[in-house]
Amino acid sequence: MGSGFSLFTNGSSSSSRERDLLTPGLGDLPESCVASILENLDPVEICRFSKLNRAFHSASWADVVWESKLPQDYRLILEKIIGGFPEKLRKRDIYNFLSRVNSFDQGTKKAWVDKRTSDLCLYISAKGLSITGIDDRRYWNQIPSDESRFGSVAYLQQIWWFQVDGEIDFPFPAGTYSVFFRLHLGKPGKRFGWKVCNTEQIHGWNIKPARFQIWTEDGQHSSSQCMLTGSGSWNHYHAGDFVVGKSKSSSTKLKFSMTQIDCTHTKGGLCVDSVIVYPSSCKDRLRRV
């Protein structure tokens, strides 16, 4: 009885193995076919599928898969960030590098590629901006902040003429971009581990609106005005949008400013963290940044 059961079991296992050999699976797909599948996925999905089997893992490193995920002129972007282009890196290595937040220009700027859309995002710190009176401690101070990507922000105590200017020359990929000023009314801090906000020095922003402007070298210009509101929280004030054409294969020169220069009154109690250049299609995410 035991012998018969053993023979039956062995026969069944043998037939099962034969069927497995005759039935193709995902692991039997040629790498070129797998690469064609992965090309149509976004980078996050590619990394997930690479864990399926060896064929998908190997195909996930193919240059052809990552070429379409890299931004246009990624060579120029790398050169801008690290000062050169490493020739022997594979396309996936280049993408992995660009999708991390990379600091450049003496740490005053940060850039990265969005992992979902492959769009470029850029932050410029207050230290990378031209701020009227920034070196005079009667008006401005640099204060540490763990709510800033740069670890510190510029805090305005009081001033008559408020003006913040900046510019950047960067190889933005083709697309539409939005420019924002990241500002905070009140002086943020901590007490006994809890976040607090000193609002004593806030004044002048409810009398006249602040003006935001952007310019590009090809003649694009945008201007807007608004009152600064919402003390105790970081807000993104939209300065304008600009478009980089698909035919453009060089750097885009962008200038931007924020002013409140009505000298009939002083204004103060404001933190300037950074200027943000973000893909317009992703700007809703700034609420979570």
Side-chain angles (χ1 to χ4, degrees):
M1 183 73 175
S3 176
F5 179 79
S6 176
L7 289 172
F8 177 79
T9 304
N10 290 339
S12 176
S13 298
S14 177
S15 300
S16 176
R17 284 196 298 271
E18 288 177 1
R19 286 197 299 271
D20 289 342
L21 291 173
L22 294 174
T23 305
L26 286 175
D28 299 309
L29 289 172
E31 185 178 316
S32 59
C33 291
V34 177
S36 296
I37 296 171
L38 296 181
E39 278 186 77
N40 296 293
L41 305 178
D42 67 41
V44 175
E45 292 170 332
I46 292 172
C47 293
R48 288 175 180 168
F49 274 80
S50 69
K51 299 175 183 178
L52 279 177
N53 54 46
R54 289 183 180 180
F56 274 78
H57 177 76
S58 179
S60 72
W61 280 92
D63 281 351
V64 67
V65 171
W66 293 98
E67 184 76 39
S68 62
K69 312 305 176 188
L70 289 168
Q72 181 185 11
D73 295 332
Y74 64 87
R75 287 175 171 267
L76 293 176
I77 296 173
L78 269 179
E79 289 173 0
K80 187 72 174 180
I81 294 174
I82 64 177
F85 184 81
E87 294 294 341
K88 295 185 178 180
L89 283 180
R90 300 178 71 172
K91 295 295 189 296
R92 178 168 172 171
D93 291 323
I94 294 173
Y95 186 90
N96 286 338
F97 176 82
L98 290 177
S99 63
R100 298 196 300 266
V101 178
N102 296 287
S103 298
F104 63 105
D105 200 5
Q106 299 180 329
T108 62
K109 299 177 180 67
K110 295 180 183 289
W112 71 95
V113 168
D114 183 83
K115 292 182 180 180
R116 280 290 184 187
T117 64
S118 297
D119 291 323
L120 185 79
C121 308
L122 180 70
Y123 273 56
I124 305 166
S125 75
K127 292 182 178 179
L129 305 174
S130 176
I131 301 177
T132 300
I134 190 64
D135 295 323
D136 193 327
R137 293 297 172 261
R138 294 174 299 172
Y139 307 130
W140 290 89
N141 285 303
Q142 288 287 340
I143 61 174
S145 173
D146 59 6
E147 296 179 321
S148 169
R149 287 183 179 272
F150 300 94
S152 67
V153 299
Y155 177 69
L156 172 66
Q157 299 176 94
Q158 178 173 290
I159 204 166
W160 292 90
W161 183 288
F162 178 88
Q163 184 167 351
V164 177
D165 297 312
E167 61 180 271
I168 189 168
D169 189 350
F170 198 85
F172 291 99
T176 302
Y177 296 86
S178 298
V179 180
F180 297 88
F181 280 75
R182 187 170 188 258
L183 310 172
H184 184 287
L185 279 176
K187 187 177 184 179
K190 284 189 175 181
R191 182 177 297 170
F192 305 115
W194 293 89
K195 292 181 180 179
V196 295
C197 177
N198 187 334
T199 60
E200 292 179 359
Q201 293 180 313
I202 299 176
H203 68 282
W205 303 108
N206 61 339
I207 300 174
K208 291 288 182 69
R211 187 180 187 188
F212 301 89
Q213 295 186 85
I214 67 168
W215 303 263
T216 63
E217 60 180 337
D218 61 359
Q220 298 180 65
H221 174 249
S222 181
S223 177
S224 63
Q225 296 186 89
C226 71
M227 297 289 192
L228 304 191
T229 59
S231 62
S233 62
W234 288 99
N235 291 292
H236 300 92
Y237 290 87
H238 186 213
D241 298 341
F242 67 97
V243 178
V244 178
K246 292 184 179 180
S247 60
K248 189 174 178 60
S249 59
S250 60
S251 290
T252 296
K253 293 181 181 179
L254 173 70
K255 293 184 179 182
F256 40 84
S257 77
M258 174 187 174
T259 56
Q260 214 291 24
I261 54 178
D262 185 336
C263 292
T264 61
H265 65 281
T266 61
K267 58 284 298 181
L270 178 71
C271 285
V272 178
D273 172 45
S274 56
V275 169
I276 304 169
V277 183
Y278 227 65
S280 296
S281 59
C282 303
K283 61 184 179 183
D284 289 342
R285 300 184 192 177
L286 285 176
R287 296 178 182 272
R288 305 189 296 271
V289 174

